[in-house]
Amino acid sequence: MRATNFAEVCYGYNEEEAVTEAGRCLNCKNAKCVTGCPVKIDIPAFIKEVKEGKYEDAAKTIAKSSALPAVCGRVCPQESQCEGQCIRGIKGEPISIGKLERFVADWSREHGFVPDAPKVKNGKKVAVIGSGPSGLTCAGDLAKLGYEVTIFEALHEPGGVLTYGIPEFRLPKQGVVQPEIENVKKLGVKIETNVIIGKSVTVDELMDEEGYSAVFIGSGAGLPKFMGIPGENANGVFSANEYLTRSNLMKAFRDDYDTPIAAGKKVVVVGGGNVAMDAARTALRLGAEVHIVYRRSEKELPARAEEVHHAKEEGIVFNLLTNPVEILTDEKGWVSGIIVRKMELGEPDESGRRRPVEIAGSDYRIDADTVIMALGTSPNPLISATTEGLETDRHHCIVADEADGKTTREGVFAGGDAVTGAATVILAMEAGRAGARGIHEYLSAK
């Protein structure tokens, strides 16, 4: 049973299936799928090349826009982006663009295809902070333009959320993430790990003392949010960030690694996004009985339908229209259960979703020894606090121009979760591309 191991759940297309699916594409002249893609991959072109069996050409087409095709083919919310705009989807099933992108990326890896590195360097140095999807994309685009790019990563392995946040069963690390990172390095990008910007070195020092002409901040959003309810500081309460990092980055799920986690036998995950699904499905694979508690109905679940479907299929229990009010503890201070309150949906709030309203007298208990809070994250304020002239908003997000990543500090650009708060991989990549364009324009004008 798949819920007892960390092997990848979704299978990709074989060659015959890919060519058949590509043959369904109408190759629209004004392709809406491209407008639905945040990084603007020429989707009709690469699908046509797949249809004709020209897989290397398809890889080159994708590489013009995306440095992480094997990642995007697996974790992008295509249903609300490229596939959501597909004309085929009006009267039937849209083209499976994500699976075709994954096929091309996997074919490329298996056949040793590597994007061309720039032949000439321009002599200008750019620092990129963070090796997640935003940083890798920005670095790759700048390297193609001839810049000498160094990525500074706080953790001991590069990849950011791709490495520590998304579980192995959705995104294999050795088979998918590491080869994509290696392809970025083959463009000439250097990656230095274990460098905490704001402690090891500051942005100001990078620019004033280390000779970097510009800096891109793609440090993500790793500061977890909590509810502030009684019992939240008990032993056995995790943020989803910590739980997933221990499992994914520190390999707590493997018996041959000496980095165990108090995984829990009865786990409650609070939240309804993709991170909540990842935490719940990870806890299940670590041997727990798992409940997801979410205060709205299934219709409002922010997680991808595919992830919800897989979670249910694997046996995770959904307690919907339910909200935690207290975490119970035993005499030693460990979680023993959680009190939740039933909710009903009222009028829409500022997000456009119907606001959950408490039902008085509806409290009940769920037995648990572990509670995982998957309520979103915000950027760590360390970088902004140690950088002169860098403006942030009340959520500690860096204020930056969406079009080019320009911040309030000259020569410093930013994008991804560090600017928007927690969002998707592909939106972080879009911001990385925007930042690379902004840096190129800025340095070309100097």
Side-chain angles (χ1 to χ4, degrees):
M1 183 180 175
R2 73 168 189 244
T4 61
N5 64 72
F6 281 79
E8 189 172 14
V9 169
C10 294
Y11 296 115
Y13 285 147
N14 60 33
E15 188 171 343
E16 181 182 355
E17 290 167 337
V19 171
T20 300
E21 182 63 15
R24 293 179 57 233
C25 180
L26 301 175
N27 210 246
C28 307
K29 289 185 177 178
N30 298 312
K32 292 184 177 180
C33 57
V34 177
T35 62
C37 173
V39 295
K40 300 296 181 282
I41 292 172
D42 190 344
I43 293 167
F46 100 74
I47 290 180
K48 183 173 184 288
E49 287 155 350
V50 171
K51 178 183 173 182
E52 296 170 352
K54 299 175 180 177
Y55 308 132
E56 186 169 323
D57 290 346
K60 289 178 180 177
T61 297
I62 294 173
K64 292 174 184 176
S65 303
S66 175
L68 306 169
V71 169
C72 288
R74 286 167 166 81
V75 303
C76 265
Q78 292 99 1
E79 66 277 6
S80 61
Q81 293 177 160
C82 55
E83 292 177 17
Q85 299 293 321
C86 178
I87 202 79
R88 276 284 197 184
I90 295 175
K91 292 186 177 180
E93 289 293 320
I95 304 299
S96 294
I97 298 167
K99 283 193 174 182
L100 288 173
E101 181 182 15
R102 170 181 170 165
F103 167 78
V104 172
D106 289 354
W107 182 93
S108 300
R109 182 179 66 253
E110 291 160 9
H111 289 79
F113 169 75
V114 179
D116 293 332
K119 292 180 173 59
V120 181
K121 296 285 187 182
N122 61 25
K124 295 178 181 178
K125 291 170 60 179
V126 177
V128 172
I129 301 171
S131 64
S134 185
L136 288 170
T137 299
C138 183
D141 280 9
L142 288 170
K144 291 174 188 175
L145 292 167
Y147 292 94
E148 294 180 25
V149 186
T150 301
I151 296 176
F152 297 97
E153 167 57 47
L155 297 176
H156 63 280
E157 284 187 29
V161 70
L162 307 176
T163 297
Y164 72 74
I166 302 176
E168 192 79 12
F169 54 82
R170 281 184 64 208
L171 191 63
K173 308 301 170 242
Q174 289 190 335
V176 175
V177 176
Q178 289 180 11
E180 301 255 273
I181 294 171
E182 286 302 314
N183 280 345
V184 172
K185 291 168 69 175
K186 287 172 184 175
L187 293 172
V189 174
K190 298 175 185 175
I191 300 179
E192 293 190 20
T193 56
N194 297 309
V195 179
I196 302 173
I197 302 299
K199 284 198 172 182
S200 307
V201 64
T202 65
V203 170
D204 297 333
E205 289 169 345
L206 288 174
M207 299 186 76
D208 299 339
E209 300 174 19
E210 302 292 334
Y212 288 95
S213 303
V215 173
F216 177 81
I217 302 172
S219 51
L223 192 65
K225 296 177 182 177
F226 290 89
M227 294 184 69
I229 59 176
E232 209 166 35
N233 293 323
N235 296 322
V237 178
F238 291 87
S239 70
N241 223 29
E242 179 185 358
Y243 197 85
L244 290 170
T245 298
R246 283 179 174 275
S247 178
N248 299 331
L249 182 65
M250 299 172 72
K251 305 293 190 293
F253 67 92
R254 287 177 52 171
D255 293 335
D256 57 333
Y257 272 69
D258 192 23
T259 49
I261 183 173
K265 293 300 180 185
K266 292 187 175 182
V267 175
V268 173
V269 178
V270 181
N274 287 325
V275 174
M277 301 304 141
D278 286 345
R281 296 173 69 197
T282 295
L284 187 77
R285 284 161 171 76
L286 291 172
E289 171 193 311
V290 184
H291 288 249
I292 285 177
V293 170
Y294 179 62
R295 63 183 185 153
R296 289 184 167 95
S297 71
E298 183 167 348
K299 183 181 177 182
E300 287 80 27
L301 278 168
R304 295 181 69 189
E306 177 182 287
E307 300 308 315
V308 175
H309 169 76
H310 286 151
K312 286 183 174 181
E313 202 173 50
E314 291 168 1
I316 290 167
V317 179
F318 281 71
N319 296 73
L320 301 172
L321 287 168
T322 306
N323 206 38
V325 292
E326 183 182 357
I327 296 171
L328 304 175
T329 59
D330 61 20
E331 65 278 1
K332 294 182 179 179
W334 285 86
V335 171
S336 62
I338 183 168
I339 301 295
V340 297
R341 185 168 296 160
K342 292 183 180 179
M343 315 289 280
E344 58 187 358
L345 296 180
E347 295 301 311
D349 61 15
E350 60 275 2
S351 72
R353 295 180 298 172
R354 292 173 64 192
R355 186 188 301 275
V357 179
E358 295 182 350
I359 300 175
S362 64
D363 294 8
Y364 66 97
R365 172 185 172 133
I366 301 174
D367 288 336
D369 56 16
T370 303
V371 174
I372 302 172
M373 294 293 183
L375 304 169
T377 52
S378 61
N380 190 314
L382 178 63
I383 293 174
S384 56
T386 57
T387 304
E388 192 73 32
L390 191 64
E391 186 181 336
T392 59
D393 64 17
R394 62 190 179 91
H395 301 293
H396 303 299
C397 294
I398 297 168
V399 176
D401 191 302
E402 186 178 332
D404 60 9
K406 191 178 293 183
T407 71
T408 53
R409 163 73 191 271
E410 185 180 350
V412 177
F413 297 73
D417 291 2
V419 171
T420 61
T424 62
V425 167
I426 191 66
L427 291 177
M429 291 174 63
E430 178 186 24
R433 296 206 76 196
R437 287 194 303 272
I439 290 171
H440 183 52
E441 289 170 7
Y442 168 74
L443 294 179
S444 297
K446 292 188 74 174

